[in-house]
Amino acid sequence: MKKRLGISIVALAAVGGVIWVYGPEIREMFTPNAAGTTKVATAQQGSAQAPIPVDIRTVAIGAVRQQIEAIGSLRSDESVVLRPEISGRVSEILFEEGQPVKRGAPLLRLDAAIARAQVNQARASIILSRANFSRAKELATRGAGTQRTLDEALAKLSTDEATLALAQATLDKSTLQAPFDGILGLRQVSIGDYVNPGQAIANIESVEQLKVDFRIPEIHAQVIAAGQAIRVRLDAFPNANFDGRVYAIDPAIDPNGRAVILRARLPNADKKLRPGMFARVTLIVEERPNAVLIPETALMPMGRDIFAFRVVDGKAVQTKLRTGLRRAGEVEILEGLKAGDSVVAEGAQKLRDGQYVRESKLASGS
């Protein structure tokens, strides 16, 4: 007990000595100055206000666009398989496979001997019918003929005229003509073949410009419209892009894939693109060339709101934002910032509103 008492007396003596020696300095540190603050508080405040190093970026202006990716196929602007409307034996083939052809050019003829004979027969019959009708009409005018005879002559003339028209149509259909300007495909018949109505002869394709058919999920139905631009990439031309424009949208949703079918036109003046090619399509829904952009890393989601720290006079000011479209690593700002503002791009997580910040040496050096 006496030992503990002695130790306590020694400790109190040591504390008293420290106070006696450093008393004035201690009293000065805790004595308020004219501003009402002590040296201890001032030191703590200075430590708290030391600028925090962060990556500071300037708000930029750039182009952004909303786009939808899809896949599709190239189609001919016009495409048809030539097929005869009558049966017959092929007598002439007037085209070369794979060659261009003009609209109305004869491509194939069937043996028309029978059709030609039927035309001649109808013409001979119609000559007699016209003579009989003229005679019956003259007699009726004189009152020497009956009205019935005149009616029968007129009916026979009309029947022979119809027979001639039918025979002439059959003769005309023995020659197949190109329905439009295009390039002929591979023929499926040879001279001497007997063909039936509807049998495939050859395909003809119009490829001065092509169509692109592609599908967009129905969730985007409200943002698509005729006139929107597309950019097409093809496996056959991996280093090239081809621009076109949507001109038609199917009014019905495809129930199998719940998608909207769009059709666009694609120029093909050099004819290097071919129908049937697989296409990777980018539909450009909206494009804004003067968008306000900041790095995505500057955003700080808080509940349903999004904030960023704007740097004003060396201080980080928490600012609420309204964002728009995005592109690689950047986001469009619709409200809250303007071009030329400075924002904290990295390091915002360690900041509080109103803290002093400075440019990080690491960020400025990079």
Side-chain angles (χ1 to χ4, degrees), residues 70-75 211-215 232-234 262 276-281:
I71 58 174
S73 298
L74 302 189
R75 297 168 55 94
K211 298 173 181 176
V212 187
D213 286 358
F214 59 100
R215 296 166 180 263
V232 177
R233 301 176 305 281
L234 304 170
L262 292 83
M277 282 184 169
F278 177 79
R280 305 178 192 277
V281 182

Side-chain angles (χ1 to χ4, degrees), residues 163-220:
T163 301
L164 175 59
L166 178 61
Q168 186 63 52
T170 303
L171 179 61
D172 293 342
K173 291 182 183 299
S174 64
T175 300
L176 273 68
Q177 298 178 333
F180 48 79
D181 294 353
I183 297 178
L184 284 157
L186 306 180
R187 59 183 171 91
Q188 308 297 319
V189 297
S190 299
I191 293 178
D193 280 345
Y194 187 87
V195 296
N196 294 307
Q199 183 174 336
I201 303 297
N203 63 304
I204 179 171
E205 312 287 339
S206 176
V207 294
E208 289 288 342
Q209 66 177 358
L210 297 180
K211 298 173 181 176
V212 187
D213 286 358
F214 59 100
R215 296 166 180 263
I216 296 295
E218 65 176 3
I219 59 173
H220 301 300

